[in-house]
Amino acid sequence: MGVELEVPLDDEEIDGFAVVESISIMYLAAEALLRLYFAHVEPEPCPPLKLSSLTSFAKFKQMAGDLLTSPPRNELLREVFRGRLDAPAEVSAEAWTEDADVLRFLLTRAAALLAREANVYNSTKHGLAVQPRKSGLRLGSEEDPNGVIIDHHGPSIRFLSKGPSAEEGVQQWRETIQFAFPSINLAVASAFADEIDAIHAVAKARLTGEQGSVTIRQRALIDHLRAVPFASNYTGLLSLGMHRDFGVRIGR
């Protein structure tokens, strides 16, 4: 015997769910893109085996960090995502260069998410570890409207992250509140997904010998994905986070 319960959701709950899911989807797409890139960037007789061998997240995170210090060359990007080094006949040299710039931007953006902002990912993967909310931040003069540096109110997330402990028996934690921009998060995730499809198309063409097709990117996409207000890190999260550090004594 089953029981069905109808629990109406209000707009605030739906908005909060959308905020958290937009972040989670963006990170999942970033991880998938990076893992596929690492599996195909070096000549491998069977890329899926290379993909399945990346089981250590610490090693994966280090590889993502290496992409930030040594961004991939155009030749590597074109080989993996476009399946060719030379531009198609209908694509100009300028457009071919723009395409490589966009690919590098997307790949390094994905790497930055996993290498530098993994705490947000860890929290959103575990539903009870992150809380959506509405927050406001204002910096500047109350009397002089022209003296306001930042004035923003909107969706944000609150999450905890574990830090190093200097005192034995005390675990340090950090509570962080960061603004979120769901529309930008989903736009970034969509761009990642398109390039995941491109890797699949190139791999299929190489395996079967059939002709495939990929989309050439324009630099305007970078400007669109950077359209986040004031001093953001262009990932959909405000880099100016609000933090509170505290310790919890463990045991007696």
Side-chain angles (χ1 to χ4, degrees):
M1 179 177 178
V3 178
E4 293 186 3
L5 298 177
E6 292 188 5
V7 181
L9 297 177
D10 58 31
D11 291 342
E12 186 173 342
E13 289 176 313
I14 295 174
D15 289 345
F17 176 81
V19 168
V20 175
E21 284 301 294
S22 74
I23 297 171
S24 181
I25 290 170
M26 177 177 63
Y27 272 90
L28 289 170
E31 182 174 355
L33 177 66
L34 288 177
R35 288 186 179 276
L36 284 170
Y37 173 78
F38 292 142
H40 289 83
V41 69
E42 297 177 359
E44 292 285 340
C46 187
L49 289 180
K50 176 69 177 295
L51 182 64
S52 64
S53 69
L54 296 175
T55 56
S56 169
F57 190 78
K59 174 64 175 177
F60 171 71
K61 188 175 178 180
Q62 179 184 347
M63 294 169 67
D66 291 342
L67 281 179
L68 298 176
T69 56
S70 300
R73 304 187 312 274
N74 288 355
E75 293 78 11
L76 291 178
L77 294 170
R78 289 165 178 161
E79 189 71 26
V80 174
F81 292 98
R82 301 297 178 251
R84 58 189 300 164
L85 297 179
D86 57 322
E90 65 276 13
V91 177
S92 68
E94 181 181 0
W96 194 233
T97 299
E98 280 193 20
D99 181 62
D101 290 342
V102 175
L103 289 174
R104 186 178 299 102
F105 170 82
L106 292 175
L107 201 62
T108 54
R109 181 52 53 213
L113 284 169
L114 275 300
R116 296 175 178 172
E117 301 175 41
N119 286 337
V120 184
Y121 189 24
N122 292 334
S123 297
T124 55
K125 283 194 298 185
H126 308 288
L128 297 179
V130 62
Q131 295 178 334
R133 58 192 296 165
K134 300 285 187 179
S135 298
L137 178 64
R138 181 182 175 91
L139 296 177
S141 171
E142 290 288 344
E143 294 77 18
D144 181 10
N146 296 324
V148 176
I149 302 173
I150 294 176
D151 187 4
H152 182 76
H153 296 76
S156 65
I157 56 170
R158 172 178 176 264
F159 63 93
L160 293 176
S161 55
K162 187 182 294 186
S165 298
E167 181 182 351
E168 184 178 355
V170 176
Q171 176 60 61
Q172 290 298 129
W173 291 88
R174 166 166 287 190
E175 177 190 44
T176 301
I177 298 174
Q178 286 184 315
F179 286 111
F181 301 88
S183 60
I184 296 296
N185 293 339
L186 293 177
V188 171
S190 178
F192 289 162
D194 287 342
E195 297 312 325
I196 290 172
D197 289 343
I199 293 178
H200 286 154
V202 170
K204 181 180 178 181
R206 286 175 176 160
L207 179 64
T208 63
E210 299 176 356
Q211 290 291 329
S213 63
V214 294
T215 301
I216 303 301
R217 297 287 195 172
Q218 296 181 339
R219 201 185 308 275
L221 177 65
I222 298 178
D223 298 330
H224 174 68
L225 297 182
R226 283 177 168 169
V228 184
F230 56 82
S232 67
N233 56 11
Y234 306 135
T235 62
L237 297 172
L238 182 65
S239 58
L240 182 59
M242 293 168 276
H243 304 292
R244 180 175 70 91
D245 296 328
F246 61 94
V248 176
R249 187 164 297 279
I250 303 172
R252 296 182 178 180

